[in-house]
Amino acid sequence: MASSRADGQDFINEVATIRMIHRVNVMQLIRFCAKGSKRALIYDFMPNGSLDQHIFPEKQGNISFSLEKMYEISLGIARGIEYLHQGVSNFGLVKSYPVDHSIVSLTTARGTRGYMAPELLYQNIGGVLYKANVYNFGMLLMEMAGKRRNLNDFAEHSGQIYFPTWIYDQLSEGKDIEIEYATEGGKELSRKPIIVALWCIQLMPSDRPSMNKVLEMLEENVEILHIPPRPLLTPQELYVKQKKSQKSGETKYREC
């Protein structure tokens, strides 16, 4: 924040925009503080605590929400983001990054590790636009539906360390999704957001749906939804995949 243009004027302008937002699905900004390079936003008090306490009730006393409740909350979050995309044209991190940088360092990139869109680090795959928020939502939705963290270094099997790719393999192989404490109806409410989340976390921003489309998919029958391509983590993985595809194509051509 210290290097913001006009000595923090960008921050003040964006705070002024946020304070004008009054929406049931968006928390109300109460106050803000700006002193030197330090910035703070003060929102409404959340009597039920933060969402992660209910997704991962690791501490005693925290209540794990049902999949039905998680689905209801995910719809509310999606509606809030979709409203911001429609009503606030520069919502998100778009103006935080210069367009002439192909790679953004981890010290420059802003966001929570594990939720940041890849274009925040590798701008050669696409500009930092509203689709970065779609990626953020997809990673959160994946954890809400699976009731486990996307990155788990202590997973029982190495293939389960990164949950999105493991659950994709389960879906593509036609296996049942086993979610703890899920009822029969809850299993469908888990499968649907997982498929939607997989669309949201596609590597290329152009392959991700808009938040309006995300809402449509969340409200559709799960049988209508198609499983997207396997999510990739970095542009390097995409390059390797393309090279393998080209090599396979050349082999087939020679065989013909």
Side-chain angles (χ1 to χ4, degrees):
M1 287 288 189
S3 60
S4 295
R5 289 175 296 175
D7 194 23
Q9 189 59 45
D10 279 351
F11 174 76
I12 302 299
N13 291 341
E14 294 194 8
V15 165
T17 300
I18 294 172
R19 288 197 64 180
M20 292 188 295
I21 297 172
H22 298 275
R23 178 80 174 182
V24 66
N25 302 118
V26 181
M27 287 189 65
Q28 182 66 43
L29 179 66
I30 305 299
R31 294 283 189 275
F32 75 92
C33 300
K35 184 176 181 180
S37 61
K38 297 180 179 179
R39 308 284 187 265
L41 299 177
I42 304 172
Y43 285 92
D44 274 335
F45 174 68
M46 298 186 296
N48 294 326
S50 62
L51 181 60
D52 69 300
Q53 294 175 351
H54 301 284
I55 302 176
F56 321 113
E58 297 161 352
K59 296 182 180 178
Q60 187 176 5
N62 290 339
I63 300 173
S64 176
F65 287 158
S66 66
L67 287 172
E68 289 81 2
K69 185 64 175 178
M70 286 294 184
Y71 174 70
E72 180 185 333
I73 293 172
S74 69
L75 282 175
I77 296 172
R79 289 181 182 125
I81 299 175
E82 196 271 340
Y83 167 78
L84 292 172
H85 282 179
Q86 295 294 326
V88 186
S89 60
N90 62 354
F91 171 72
L93 303 172
V94 179
K95 298 197 297 182
S96 300
Y97 303 94
V99 296
D100 57 340
H101 287 190
S102 59
I103 297 179
V104 180
S105 69
L106 284 174
T107 56
T108 303
R110 298 173 193 163
T112 305
R113 182 177 175 270
Y115 297 86
M116 287 190 297
E119 60 266 31
L120 300 186
L121 301 175
Y122 308 96
Q123 291 191 354
N124 59 324
I125 68 172
V128 183
L129 301 172
Y130 69 95
K131 289 293 185 72
N133 303 132
V134 176
Y135 186 95
N136 304 150
F137 174 73
M139 294 298 281
L140 173 62
L141 184 61
M142 184 70 71
E143 292 187 335
M144 292 174 68
K147 288 196 168 186
R148 57 149 288 177
R149 299 184 185 279
N150 288 326
L151 291 171
N152 181 12
D153 293 332
F154 303 102
E156 185 176 350
H157 303 289
S158 60
Q160 297 181 7
I161 292 177
Y162 185 58
F163 183 59
T165 53
W166 178 79
I167 201 67
Y168 176 86
D169 292 339
Q170 300 296 300
L171 285 172
S172 62
E173 293 170 11
K175 296 181 180 178
D176 288 336
I177 302 174
E178 296 297 331
I179 303 296
E180 193 174 5
Y181 307 125
T183 62
E184 283 303 315
K187 288 181 179 179
E188 178 175 335
L189 287 179
S190 176
R191 180 182 174 87
K192 183 196 297 185
I194 284 175
I195 293 175
V196 175
L198 287 169
W199 277 109
C200 291
I201 64 172
Q202 291 294 299
L203 178 66
M204 304 300 292
S206 59
D207 292 334
R208 301 172 206 152
S210 65
M211 283 308 302
N212 184 55
K213 183 61 179 176
V214 168
L215 266 172
E216 287 183 15
M217 290 193 292
L218 283 174
E219 293 172 338
E220 285 179 346
N221 188 304
V222 67
E223 301 301 328
I224 300 176
L225 300 178
H226 299 287
I227 300 176
R230 194 173 195 272
L232 301 175
L233 292 174
T234 65
Q236 286 81 0
E237 281 188 296
L238 179 63
Y239 174 77
V240 171
K241 182 179 179 181
Q242 290 173 336
K243 294 297 288 184
K244 286 183 178 178
S245 178
Q246 290 174 0
K247 187 175 182 180
S248 175
E250 290 172 358
T251 302
K252 289 180 181 178
Y253 179 78
R254 284 196 295 268
E255 288 175 351
C256 293

